[in-house]
Amino acid sequence: MELLRSNLSHVRIPGPTNRVYKHECCVSFDTPESDGGLFVDMCSFLAFGKDYVGWNYEKTKHPVYLHIKRTVKPVSEDRPSKKPTLLAIGVDGGFDNNEPEYEEIFNIVVLPDYVSLPFPSVELPEKVRLAVDKIRSVEGAERKEQVAAWVADKKKQSDYALKLVQLDNGVVVPPTGWKCAKCDKTENLWLNLTDGMILCGRRNFDGSGGNNHAVEHYEATRYPLAVKLGTITSELETADVYSYPEDDSVEDPLLAQHLAHFGIEFTALQKTEMTTAEMELDQNTNFDWNRIQESGEDLELLFGPGYTGLANLGNSCYMAATMQVLFSTRSFCSRYFVNQSLKEAFDIAIADPAVDLNMQLTKLAHGMLSGKYSLPATEKQEGIRPRMFKSVIAANHPEFSTMRQQDALEFFLHFFDQVEKVHAQNSSNTWIVDPSTSFKFGIEERIQCPSGKVAYNQRRDCILSLNIPLHRATNKGELEAFEKLKAERHAEGKELSNEEIVRPRVHLKDCLECFSGPEEVHDYYSTALKSKTTAIRTAGLTSFPDYLVLHMRKFVLEAGWVPKKLDVYVDVPDIIDLSFMRSSGRQPGEELLPEADDEDMSPPNADETIVAQLASMGFSHIRCQKAAINTNNVGVEEAMNWLFAHMDDPGTFLQTLYWQKTSPFFFRPCNFVDALDGL
């Protein structure tokens, strides 16, 4: 106890602005359920597993920690099952969903000798007791950031809040002991901010929840706003306020005043209920995906190094698919797993390891590749939850910081951009190799105008975007027969079965040949002819990467400029010869187009016809202009393809092929990602 008292200067009571980590280690995926439990630094509020807390003590000299150990409560096998009285799962009276119950044990631990003091204990200094109580009661930073991402679209201020009329009916709401005024419900209770009625919430589709008394009260009285009891704390902005006429969770800027009307002192209340956003997050992250995947298949569970799954964080399949593929490549595996230990990443982290991208990438690599979190097949495979990594990589990004569905290609490009920035900042460390360089390659475009003169343009890229030439389908006969059958069934008013549908099959080599083959460029300004003309464009690769990422453009324009997603198969061989794509460079005897003079150097103008047609499809005017300029005003289809390859919005289809180099010109597919909307 004297040792603890001598270190009280290293104990802080967390305030409203402090992030408290208590669910997961900052440098590993250890949790309170892990064998060694979790140690929360009572000064910085960072959490560490048993094998890593010593590193934090060496680096910060913070000696006092709250140790949290959570164990599953044993359940008697011969315990009789209760007969359900409700058509619901996991609620009192409903069916048992077999969710385990946990027992938590807390201790105060002082390093470096790991002196342990039990908590709770009246002998502990008051500052320590207050700090532990606050750590236990506040929402963990991991959970808080996840919920914040789920409601990243800021709640709008209710139109009814500022002009809300509250009845002077003498109602005083007690701080505890709430119960629905019309039934026996004591959870999921809502306080109507007009008359102070406490009523239960809506009934869920599975029978759980409330009895609809709060919404029925609104329908009878039209009193618009209600706040969920149990979500009101000193952090008033986290309270769950619902507007019935607006049918949404809203912000009430006068909530403190509205609560005071009924005698509620919000600073003294503690959180006891989940908000609507938290409930939605739980439903999404805990959904059993096995119900809808591999139906009826007897699959063998894999485990061990390299076979660790990434748990769903809520519409995070685009991230999981991309990271699983990247960490199957030699470059990323070497950079963040083989050549960098967790200790090295922690030591060079400048400040908070929870927000350091290098630390979180190393943590993710070791979590996925070490096998530590991939259990034998006889046990339940939980996988790992890359919450801290997602929080860091998506920080301040308008789309990836949300829980909405996203495009894997957009995430791939954003991820590479962030990795490049980190390595640029550490350019003095020559031993650190940027793993994204193994995906980089050179593209050279050759343009020849009718004068016979040519121009060469070169650029670096990390993806090769390919059109799919349907006219080169290898099953044209089957397609013709299918179209006849489709017309017959349509005339009869019948639908085709899935087994009868025939899709075009296009060979990957045909897609690659279309990229490098000759293509007409209309309205090309020739500096030799001093006028617009039709030029011929060809393209090739000046270098080959270790891993080639192919983006298949599955959107085309139909009549009326309506974008359509192609339903097509791309046949991919095990080995493909890419030598035909190698750029030959400037040839002897070729004459280059003259340099542009001042008149030619005037800013390019977008073809307003192309811009107008794209804008009519819902794209912003500025992006339509950019698409037209970047495709040299060739046409609407080319500009549309450019938009789909560079758009910032979610929801585009990505089919990515990763190819591992086996010789200078031969690649073999080593992995495949099919990131579909709503995977």
Side-chain angles (χ1 to χ4, degrees):
M1 196 64 70
E2 287 303 319
L3 178 63
L4 176 60
R5 289 194 177 97
S6 67
N7 285 290
L8 284 181
S9 60
H10 296 287
V11 176
R12 296 168 55 214
I13 300 173
T17 60
N18 292 125
R19 293 181 303 172
V20 178
Y21 293 91
K22 60 180 183 179
H23 299 302
E24 181 180 290
C25 173
C26 291
V27 298
S28 74
F29 289 94
D30 288 357
T31 67
E33 291 89 44
S34 300
D35 290 341
L38 206 60
F39 293 78
V40 180
D41 185 336
M42 295 188 69
C43 186
S44 67
F45 310 118
L46 296 173
F48 299 90
K50 181 181 179 181
D51 296 334
Y52 316 102
V53 64
W55 301 352
N56 187 60
Y57 174 72
E58 293 173 6
K59 186 175 183 178
T60 65
K61 302 305 179 185
H62 294 167
V64 185
Y65 296 83
L66 172 64
H67 181 244
I68 307 173
K69 183 68 178 80
R70 189 180 297 136
T71 56
V72 178
K73 290 183 179 180
V75 178
S76 175
E77 295 183 0
D78 57 356
R79 184 187 67 180
S81 300
K82 293 182 180 180
K83 185 177 180 180
T85 59
L86 285 176
L87 187 61
I89 299 174
V91 299
D92 289 340
F95 292 91
D96 186 5
N97 62 354
N98 296 318
E99 283 295 322
E101 294 183 4
Y102 292 96
E103 178 182 2
E104 286 187 321
I105 299 174
F106 299 91
N107 287 283
I108 305 299
V109 177
V110 184
L111 268 61
D113 297 325
Y114 293 86
V115 176
S116 181
L117 300 168
F119 181 92
S121 171
V122 294
E123 297 181 6
L124 292 171
E126 182 182 15
K127 184 179 182 182
V128 174
R129 297 200 305 268
L130 291 174
V132 173
D133 287 340
K134 191 66 175 178
I135 290 172
R136 292 180 62 188
S137 64
V138 299
E139 190 78 79
E142 309 94 330
R143 172 81 173 180
K144 183 181 287 187
E145 289 172 359
Q146 208 174 353
V147 173
W150 192 258
V151 291
D153 294 330
K154 183 174 175 60
K155 290 190 290 188
K156 73 168 188 173
Q157 181 175 303
S158 173
D159 296 334
Y160 298 86
L162 296 179
K163 56 185 179 181
L164 183 70
V165 176
Q166 293 187 282
L167 303 183
D168 190 11
N169 53 11
V171 171
V172 176
V173 177
T176 57
W178 307 307
K179 177 175 166 295
C180 177
K182 295 187 178 180
C183 70
D184 294 329
K185 290 285 185 182
T186 57
E187 295 178 345
N188 189 22
L189 299 178
W190 295 77
L191 170 70
N192 190 286
L193 292 175
T194 297
D195 61 1
M197 285 284 284
I198 297 176
L199 299 161
C200 59
R202 301 174 194 254
R203 183 182 293 109
N204 297 327
F205 72 95
D206 63 352
S208 61
N211 290 320
N212 293 334
H213 288 144
V215 67
E216 290 173 359
H217 183 65
Y218 160 71
E219 292 170 352
T221 63
R222 313 309 291 181
Y223 296 156
L225 299 181
V227 61
K228 188 174 184 180
L229 296 174
T231 68
I232 305 168
T233 67
S234 57
E235 299 179 49
L236 206 54
E237 67 276 4
T238 63
D240 198 359
V241 180
Y242 193 84
S243 171
Y244 290 105
E246 293 164 295
D247 195 22
D248 204 355
S249 293
V250 295
E251 181 182 313
D252 179 2
L254 302 179
L255 182 58
Q257 174 184 321
H258 293 155
L259 294 174
H261 180 82
F262 299 111
I264 297 177
E265 178 53 55
F266 65 88
T267 57
L269 297 179
Q270 292 189 350
K271 184 175 170 62
T272 60
E273 288 265 2
M274 287 196 295
T275 65
T276 305
E278 290 169 335
M279 293 173 68
E280 290 177 356
L281 177 60
D282 267 10
Q283 289 289 330
N284 194 286
T285 57
N286 294 327
F287 183 80
D288 183 6
W289 292 98
N290 291 326
R291 298 182 198 167
I292 60 171
Q293 297 184 90
E294 309 292 356
S295 178
E297 297 289 336
D298 185 14
L299 301 177
E300 178 186 356
L301 294 177
L302 298 178
F303 62 92
Y307 293 109
T308 303
L310 298 179
N312 175 37
L313 302 179
N315 289 330
S316 61
C317 57
Y318 67 92
M319 181 182 72
T322 302
M323 300 315 297
Q324 287 283 11
V325 168
L326 289 179
F327 278 115
S328 71
T329 64
R330 189 185 310 110
S331 54
F332 274 89
C333 179
S334 298
R335 169 65 181 85
Y336 294 106
F337 181 64
V338 177
N339 297 334
Q340 181 168 259
S341 67
L342 290 169
K343 180 68 161 61
E344 290 170 332
F346 178 73
D347 287 342
I348 64 176
I350 297 175
D352 185 346
V355 295
D356 184 272
L357 180 57
N358 180 66
M359 177 71 254
Q360 292 308 313
L361 271 172
T362 307
K363 168 183 171 178
L364 182 61
H366 282 258
M368 293 170 60
L369 303 175
S370 67
K372 179 179 179 180
Y373 304 99
S374 187
L375 305 174
T378 54
E379 301 183 32
K380 184 178 180 182
Q381 303 265 355
E382 294 289 350
I384 56 178
R385 296 182 179 275
R387 292 175 291 202
M388 291 186 192
F389 167 71
K390 184 178 187 296
S391 177
V392 175
I393 197 67
N396 301 319
H397 192 281
E399 290 300 334
F400 301 126
S401 59
T402 72
M403 288 291 187
R404 293 191 291 266
Q405 294 176 9
Q406 305 297 340
D407 176 28
L409 175 62
E410 289 294 325
F411 178 75
F412 174 84
L413 295 174
H414 171 72
F415 173 74
F416 268 40
D417 181 57
Q418 297 302 305
V419 169
E420 288 173 0
K421 286 180 180 178
V422 169
H423 285 83
Q425 294 167 1
N426 298 303
S427 56
S428 57
N429 297 327
T430 55
W431 60 273
I432 297 179
V433 179
D434 181 355
S436 67
T437 56
S438 63
F439 291 78
K440 298 294 179 65
F441 57 92
I443 297 177
E444 182 175 73
E445 289 187 348
R446 178 183 183 274
I447 297 179
Q448 180 174 353
C449 80
S451 68
K453 298 179 180 180
V454 298
Y456 285 91
N457 300 311
Q458 292 188 351
R459 70 176 190 272
R460 296 277 290 172
D461 214 328
C462 61
I463 61 167
L464 192 62
S465 191
L466 302 176
N467 289 319
I468 302 176
L470 292 179
H471 63 279
R472 295 196 184 184
T474 59
N475 58 339
K476 291 181 180 178
E478 296 177 19
L479 289 171
E480 291 176 1
F482 169 69
E483 289 299 328
K484 291 181 181 178
L485 177 63
K486 184 178 177 180
E488 292 173 0
R489 292 293 174 84
H490 180 73
E492 298 171 358
K494 297 179 180 179
E495 295 288 335
L496 289 166
S497 65
N498 289 333
E499 292 75 17
E500 293 176 308
I501 295 176
V502 177
R503 295 173 175 84
R505 306 193 74 98
V506 179
H507 199 283
L508 177 62
K509 189 171 183 179
D510 290 325
C511 302
L512 294 167
E513 288 178 350
C514 282
F515 171 82
S516 58
E519 175 187 3
E520 289 188 348
V521 180
H522 301 283
D523 294 325
Y524 176 78
Y525 183 82
S526 169
T527 54
L529 302 177
K530 298 291 183 179
S531 63
K532 289 186 177 182
T533 184
T534 298
I536 302 298
R537 168 196 170 276
T538 56
L541 303 184
T542 60
S543 62
F544 290 84
D546 293 331
Y547 302 95
L548 180 61
V549 182
L550 302 180
H551 168 228
M552 312 307 296
R553 295 176 177 172
K554 300 196 93 177
F555 284 92
V556 295
L557 291 176
E558 287 193 315
W561 308 106
V562 177
K564 175 189 176 183
K565 179 176 164 184
L566 296 179
D567 188 10
V568 57
Y569 290 126
V570 177
D571 290 327
V572 182
D574 290 333
I575 296 176
I576 189 166
D577 182 355
L578 298 181
S579 57
F580 72 93
M581 297 187 69
R582 183 169 188 170
S583 176
S584 55
R586 184 181 176 185
Q587 299 298 300
E590 283 186 336
E591 185 177 354
L592 297 179
L593 284 165
E595 294 291 332
D597 54 29
D598 292 340
E599 181 180 348
D600 298 327
M601 290 296 290
S602 59
N605 295 317
D607 187 322
E608 287 303 320
T609 302
I610 296 176
V611 172
Q613 290 172 342
L614 292 175
S616 67
M617 302 174 199
F619 297 103
S620 69
H621 189 76
I622 292 176
R623 289 192 61 78
C624 295
Q625 288 181 320
K626 191 174 181 181
I629 292 171
N630 278 276
T631 54
N632 298 315
N633 294 315
V634 171
V636 175
E637 184 170 354
E638 289 76 7
M640 171 66 75
N641 286 333
W642 187 94
L643 277 173
F644 281 125
H646 298 83
M647 65 195 300
D648 294 325
D649 300 328
T652 59
F653 175 85
L654 167 69
Q655 204 170 39
T656 304
L657 301 170
Y658 276 76
W659 298 78
Q660 185 174 3
K661 185 162 68 175
T662 54
S663 72
F665 306 116
F666 288 84
F667 293 71
R668 63 181 178 83
C670 62
N671 223 318
F672 180 78
V673 183
D674 192 4
L676 288 169
D677 297 344
L679 179 66

